Amino acid sequence: MDFLKTTVKDLHQELVNKSLSVADLTQATLDHIKATDDRYEAFITLMETNALEQAKKIDQAGVSSAQMLAGIPFGIKDNMVTKGVQTTAASRMLHDFKPIYDATVLERLSQAGAIGVGKLNMDEFAMGSTTETSYYKQTKNAWDQTKIPGGSSGGSAVSVAAGQVPFALGSDTGGSIRQPAAFNGVVGLKPTYGRVSRWGLIAFASSLDQIGPITRTVEDNALVLNAIAGYDARDQTSSKQTVPDFTANLTGNIKGMKIAIPKEYFGDGVDPKVVSVVKAGIAQLEALGAHVEEVSLPHTKYGVAAYYILGSSEASSNLQRFDGIRYGFRAENVQTLEDLYVQTRSQGFGDEVKRRIMLGTYSLSAGSYDAYFKKAAQVRTLIADEFEQVFGQYDLIVAPTTPNIAYGFGENQDDPQVAYMNDALTIPVNLAGLPGMSINAGFIDGLPVGMQLIGNRFEEAKIYQAAYAFEQATRLFDKIPGGDQ
């Protein structure tokens, strides 16, 4: 099954009409992944037995017109726990870990009838922006296999862009859904913090992590968010905010919408070619009736520094549970308890994870807390306040998703600070807890360019409204890897 040439909505109609059975669709999906994954290396684990059993049950019950996701296959970033299925977070530390329950998002998609077909590659414990820190494999960009796929949800974005599945789940701590979505020309949404339950998501930085959908089209993305959003008593940061129908405003009409353009997102460090493509996208929104004005977000330049102190501090705390005692990897031939801890964590974690644990532990130490962690928390508040002031006058903020397009493997790996700047335009959204989406705005040298739409808290509907209007006007999703449709 080639999902490059169809959508969730189209597949749903075929299942309702019984021109396609869920079992046939699921089997075709698994066969297609097996036939193509040597090229992309997006999947770590296939869930073949579970998927086919679930497909059989759905066929017996039948798919109604109201069940938009029933029988639709999807991929799962491998940091969401899956009952009885290997869940690795792309780390040696969890190479043999099989959870005893499903993450809330997977429970909800299962209740909607969607069928999880496999676990997707990622940067180890979601730390990275290229998927190169995975212990297992090196995922390739869907458009050019010599280029990185982005990260940390690289496997999720590639699986959709390459037509292996119609949608996938990713997680976004500093841009890990939007950046790979930009590099692969698909639609990636990081919802408002608290909109989607994090229960069952292996934590990286708990105050920043958020699960979201990656799809080929905006409408598909809204359909998936409809299914996974909403309050969950098991996640204490889950919001009781009302969940609207995110497809309700997909009309193509954005006349009168007020859009802010932050000048700092188009400055030093951003490729002029990227600026040109995104500005053309903004002109398209203006042509559709939006009112566009330039604004300033001056504290944006401190976002990366604040993020890496706060995120690494939370990571150093969250990852202390991986000690070789209770589950996961355990070093052999150790002599003492201290040796067990040291050898397990030294051998089980990769270099990037160790780097962030050390940075976080230092920032939280008694002699450094006020100088680093406290200052970073204050910067976070300033960034959130700036966004709040802008959203007092505007409906959306529009900017590039990334400073550049996808680049070659190995670039920037010798200098972590350069690599960290790849997330400079996405990180402020996480610090402020806002929703943000990346959609394809065009191409440079055959590679996609991401345009980021940022909304106020719990106003994902406005993002979908503008993104859908742009998508329908440009039809860029018709251009697919390997040639136009």
Side-chain angles (χ1 to χ4, degrees), residues 129-146:
S129 55
T130 65
T131 311
E132 289 175 290
T133 71
S134 169
Y135 175 72
Y136 296 94
K137 54 177 60 177
Q138 191 176 68
T139 300
K140 280 79 173 177
N141 190 288
W143 293 81
D144 180 346
Q145 285 74 66
T146 68

Side-chain angles (χ1 to χ4, degrees), residues 26 60 97 123 216 219 239:
T26 305
Q60 290 171 345
F97 175 51
D123 282 303
R216 182 170 169 244
E219 184 173 23
S239 172

Side-chain angles (χ1 to χ4, degrees), residues 262-312:
K263 61 182 182 182
E264 291 79 5
Y265 284 63
F266 294 83
D268 293 342
V270 183
D271 186 334
K273 293 180 181 177
V274 170
V275 170
S276 178
V277 170
V278 173
K279 284 192 172 179
I282 292 168
Q284 178 66 60
L285 291 170
E286 200 166 14
L288 290 167
H291 179 65
V292 176
E293 290 182 351
E294 185 178 84
V295 299
S296 178
L297 294 169
H299 287 94
T300 294
K301 59 186 175 185
Y302 303 117
V304 171
Y307 169 83
Y308 278 97
I309 292 172
L310 297 172
S312 298

